[in-house]
Amino acid sequence: MQLLCPHCESELIRSGESKRRCEACHTDFILSIECHECGEALQRLKACGAVNFWCDHCNELKSKSSASYILVDA
Ligand SMILES: [Zn+2]
Ligand SMILES: [Zn+2]
């Protein structure tokens, strides 16, 4: 999934598991994934190459489409 810098709309490069970096404006971001329904942070679960998310608050498994990607300035 390709994310764009919220400041300059350049493509962000992956600099870690949940880190992204904008080379154009030299800004580091932390990628946080939140539940679409309740806004709680989701835990990333990896199984057989597919990524799913677990919400502690809803107490259920979430697919990518139920997750909101939030970029936080590091
Ligand atoms: Zn940028
Ligand atoms: Zn939830």
Side-chain angles (χ1 to χ4, degrees), residues 4-10 12 21-27 29:
L4 299 179
C5 175
H7 303 302
C8 69
E9 299 193 341
S10 295
L12 298 179
R21 178 171 174 80
C22 176
E23 297 258 273
C25 55
H26 304 285
T27 308
F29 298 97

